[in-house]
Each structure stands twice: as structure tokens, then as C-alpha cells.
Amino acid sequence: GCGCGEAAPSGCDDTCGSTLADDDCGVCGGDGSTCVASLSLGAFDSSGTLEVLYDFGSASTGFQFDVTGLALTGGSGGAAGDAGFTVSTGGETVLGFSFSGSSIPAGSGVLTVLSFSDVTGATTDLSLGFSGAITDADGVPFSNQSAGGSVAHGDPDCSGDYYGDAVEDCAGVCGGDSALDDCGVCDGGNADQ
């Protein structure tokens, strides 16, 4: 026990008189943050880049998530790049891990910068998707993980380009050069009245 007539050690730390308990992450006396990992969207550049931000309660050895509405071509930089991760894309899925077993330390910032060749939908959405996960230092998915965020691209121009500037001329031709004359006639040639 803990002395004459006193109870045995108590609390998760086996210390006499302790009231410490395991947090939601299984850490004795913890604050519940070590098993939390989240992803969100950062800066979007219509010329071809999108930041993915992270907030990890402990080190991470890998991630897989989905980004819709873009024709993804790869990922680089950010904390994943600093940790020597390989970031690859296929369809709308993004996968990142290290061949050498390195990890991204706990913290927050830019996880990676995705590149894309085209905007393919009215919105770009970030999610864990069907089989996505963020793994901890042991390669096990964080027990409290999330991914979310959205970028609205507005309406496409007449050619279907979300950030294009093509417009229909007065003859209804996208990008055409027909124009109204002084009398309001399309390609009318300003005939005498």
C-alpha cells in the first residue's frame, strides 16, 4: 500500500493519492490531443496549385485522402516534402509516405502542395474518401482523424473553362469575333437607313 492504513497506489500513473486518468487517446494524464489529426484546404491558385494543410497531435508516417474537382498531377513541398515523403496522385486520390520510414512531426502547417492540370468540377472538395487515413508513428490510423474543406469555382466560361474568359459573340459563337453594328445588327455592316 501507500503506508499504514492507506490504499494502494491509484490513478493511471500508479502513484499514491493520484487521480490521473487515461485520456481519450489512452495517454495517462494526457489532454486528448495526441490521437487527433486533421486535414483542410489552404491557398488555391487557378493556374495549377492547391495547398493541403495539416494539424497533427503526434507524428505521422503517412496519409491517404481524396480531392475532387481537379485533374491532379502530383504533390510536393510542405511538411511531407521536408520529411522526404513521396506524394503521388491517381484519379482523385492522394497518397503520401516515406520509403525510409521517416515521419512528419506533430504540429500544423502546409502538408503538401498539390498540382493539377485542369479544374474539372464546380467545386473542389477534400475528404478521407472511402479508404483514406492518416497514420501515426506506429503506422496505425489516428483514432480521431478528419479531412474537409471546399473551394467553389463559379461558373465556367462558354468553352467550359472554369477560369477562362471566352464569351459568346452576337452570333452565339463561343470566342467568335462577330459584333453588333451601330444599328444593333450582328455583322450588319452599318447599312444605310
Side-chain angles (χ1 to χ4, degrees):
C2 289
C4 194
E6 293 183 35
S10 57
C12 60
D13 59 348
D14 285 333
T15 301
C16 291
S18 171
T19 58
L20 288 180
D22 288 341
D23 67 8
D24 292 339
C25 301
V27 175
C28 183
D31 62 4
S33 66
T34 58
C35 61
V36 177
S38 65
L39 301 175
S40 60
L41 294 179
F44 172 82
D45 184 338
S46 62
S47 66
T49 61
L50 172 65
E51 289 180 342
V52 177
L53 309 178
Y54 75 100
D55 189 357
F56 296 164
S58 60
S60 172
T61 57
F63 53 82
Q64 180 178 323
F65 56 86
D66 288 352
V67 175
T68 62
L70 300 174
L72 298 173
T73 57
S76 62
D82 293 344
F85 276 36
T86 298
V87 178
S88 59
T89 59
E92 59 189 35
T93 301
V94 178
L95 176 66
F97 64 94
S98 168
F99 285 108
S100 66
S102 66
S103 61
I104 297 168
S108 61
V110 175
L111 176 66
T112 190
V113 180
L114 299 176
S115 55
F116 60 90
S117 59
D118 193 20
V119 176
T120 59
T123 61
T124 290
D125 296 300
L126 170 69
S127 71
L128 288 176
F130 178 71
S131 60
I134 308 163
T135 56
D136 64 17
D138 296 322
V140 176
F142 280 86
S143 60
N144 186 355
Q145 58 182 329
S146 63
S150 186
V151 175
H153 301 298
D155 295 325
D157 67 10
C158 62
S159 70
D161 186 348
Y162 279 95
Y163 290 91
D165 56 7
V167 294
E168 287 187 2
D169 65 10
C170 62
V173 176
C174 182
D177 58 4
S178 294
L180 297 175
D181 66 12
D182 294 338
C183 298
V185 177
C186 186
D187 283 341
N190 292 327
D192 290 333
Q193 303 248 345

